[in-house]
Amino acid sequence: MASIYHLATLYLLLPLLLSTSMAALVKQQPLALRYHNGALLKGNVTVNLIWYGRFTPSQRSIIVDFIQSLSSGAAPLPSAASWWRTTEKYKGGGSTLVVGKQILHEDYPLGKLLKNSQLIGLGSRLNLVNSINIVLTAQDVGVEGFCMRCGSHGSSRGKNRFTYIWVGNSETQCPGQCAWPFHQPMYGPQSPPLVAPNGDVGADGMIINLATLLAGTVTNPYQDGYFQGPADAPLEAVSACTGMFGAGAYPGYPGRLLADKVTGASYNAHGFNGRKFLLPAMWDPQSSACSTLV
C-alpha cells in the first residue's frame, strides 16, 4: 500500500450569529494563497471512483455527471465548466478531468465503521500516475472523524505519485454540518434549507464537498502548491471561501442564487446531461478574492 504523507481536510466552519444589517457592513478582504513552488495536477487527470456501501443508481449518476461537467463545454452559462476554469489561472494551465475506473464495494468488506487508515487503503488500490482516486462512503457508513470534517484529500510518496479524496454522504449523520445549505445548520440562525437541485440532500451535499476537494487537490496535491496557513491544515482554493455560493454571501447566508422555475431548487451552475449544481466560491489568483458564479 502506498504511504500517504499529505492530508488536507475539509472542515465545516459553523455559521456565525450575524444579522442581515451587520452583514451589510461586511466587505470581503483581500485574500492571498501563497504558491509554495510545488507541482500541481495539470493536463489530463484520470478520476477513479471507489464506491463504498450502497449508493442508488441515481446518486452515482449525480456524482459522475458532476465530474464530467467540469470538462464539458456543452452546458449553458453559468456552468460547472466555467467554475472549474478558474483553476487554469493557477500556475501550469488547465486540468481536464476524465472519469476512469469505478469500483463498487456494496457488501461493506471492511465493515460500516472505517478508520482513516482504511480510507487510505481504499484510495491506494489504483496506483496510477496523474490520477485522483475518490473514495465515496454511503450514508450508513461511519468514518473516523466524520462530521468534524466533511471530507479530505491526500497523496502518496515516491516517484509515481497519485492523489486521493474521501467524501462521505452525511444525510443521516450530520447534514446540518456537511450538507448545508440543503439542511438547516446545526448552529446559528435557523433559516429554511434550500431545495437541492438534484433532489437528493446527501448527494447534492457531497457535490459541494467534492468540488471543494477536487479544486484543492489539483492546486495543492502534494502539500507544496497553493495554500494559506499550516501545510497540515491549509486553507486551499475553495476551503478559503467556505460558505460562499452567490453574490452577497455572509456567514449563515449562501448568497443570491438561481432558482429552478419548476422545482424551486437553488443552484448556480449548469452541467452535463441537463444537471444543475450548487458550487462554492473559488479563490481567483488574478483578483486575489473569492469568486462566485452568480
Side-chain angles (χ1 to χ4, degrees):
M1 181 180 76
S3 174
I4 303 295
Y5 80 98
H6 168 42
L7 178 66
T9 304
L10 171 62
Y11 292 95
L12 181 81
L13 300 181
L14 297 177
L16 303 178
L17 295 173
L18 184 65
S19 70
T20 302
S21 59
M22 290 176 63
L25 302 177
V26 175
K27 293 183 179 180
Q28 187 180 158
Q29 299 299 313
L31 175 66
L33 299 189
R34 188 163 70 87
Y35 177 51
H36 295 75
N37 300 314
L40 309 184
L41 276 185
K42 297 296 180 175
N44 291 328
V45 179
T46 301
V47 177
N48 303 302
L49 302 173
I50 300 98
W51 304 90
Y52 190 89
R54 294 189 178 93
F55 288 86
T56 67
S58 174
Q59 288 173 329
R60 293 201 299 269
S61 178
I62 292 168
I63 300 294
V64 171
D65 284 351
F66 167 65
I67 296 170
Q68 292 180 323
S69 295
L70 297 178
S71 299
S72 172
L77 296 175
S79 68
S82 63
W83 176 83
W84 186 248
R85 279 196 291 273
T86 301
T87 63
E88 296 178 7
K89 300 179 182 181
Y90 294 69
K91 288 185 181 294
S95 305
T96 301
L97 304 186
V98 180
V99 176
K101 296 182 179 180
Q102 297 192 53
I103 299 175
L104 273 63
H105 294 296
E106 294 186 309
D107 56 348
Y108 307 90
L110 302 176
K112 291 189 175 183
L113 182 59
L114 301 182
K115 297 181 178 179
N116 289 328
S117 59
Q118 292 173 310
L119 287 179
I120 293 170
L122 289 167
S124 302
R125 292 181 180 180
L126 295 171
N127 189 351
L128 302 173
V129 179
N130 224 47
S131 67
I132 304 173
N133 299 331
I134 302 178
V135 179
L136 302 145
T137 51
Q139 64 183 21
D140 59 346
V141 177
V143 172
E144 182 180 357
F146 194 19
C147 298
M148 292 299 294
R149 55 181 182 147
C150 302
S152 59
H153 79 85
S155 61
S156 67
R157 293 182 184 272
K159 182 179 180 180
N160 297 324
R161 286 171 142 184
F162 67 93
T163 59
Y164 86 95
I165 287 172
W166 161 67
V167 174
N169 184 333
S170 67
E171 184 170 8
T172 59
Q173 298 183 56
C174 47
Q177 290 172 287
C178 295
W180 182 84
F182 302 127
H183 191 280
Q184 287 183 306
M186 182 170 289
Y187 305 101
Q190 297 298 301
S191 56
L194 304 182
V195 178
N198 295 288
D200 190 307
V201 169
D204 280 299
M206 292 179 78
I207 293 296
I208 293 172
N209 298 323
L210 180 55
T212 301
L213 291 163
L214 279 170
T217 297
V218 300
T219 59
N220 187 33
Y222 310 118
Q223 201 177 7
D224 53 7
Y226 284 86
F227 65 90
Q228 181 189 79
D232 58 351
L235 290 177
E236 297 178 319
V238 176
S239 60
C241 306
T242 297
M244 300 172 61
F245 297 90
Y250 57 82
Y253 172 62
R256 295 185 292 275
L257 304 171
L258 303 176
D260 187 286
K261 294 180 180 179
V262 176
T263 66
S266 296
Y267 70 99
N268 60 8
H270 296 273
F272 183 73
N273 273 343
R275 293 282 187 189
K276 295 175 181 176
F277 303 106
L278 183 63
L279 301 181
M282 189 187 307
W283 184 72
D284 187 325
Q286 293 182 353
S287 64
S288 294
C290 294
S291 176
T292 59
L293 281 172
V294 296

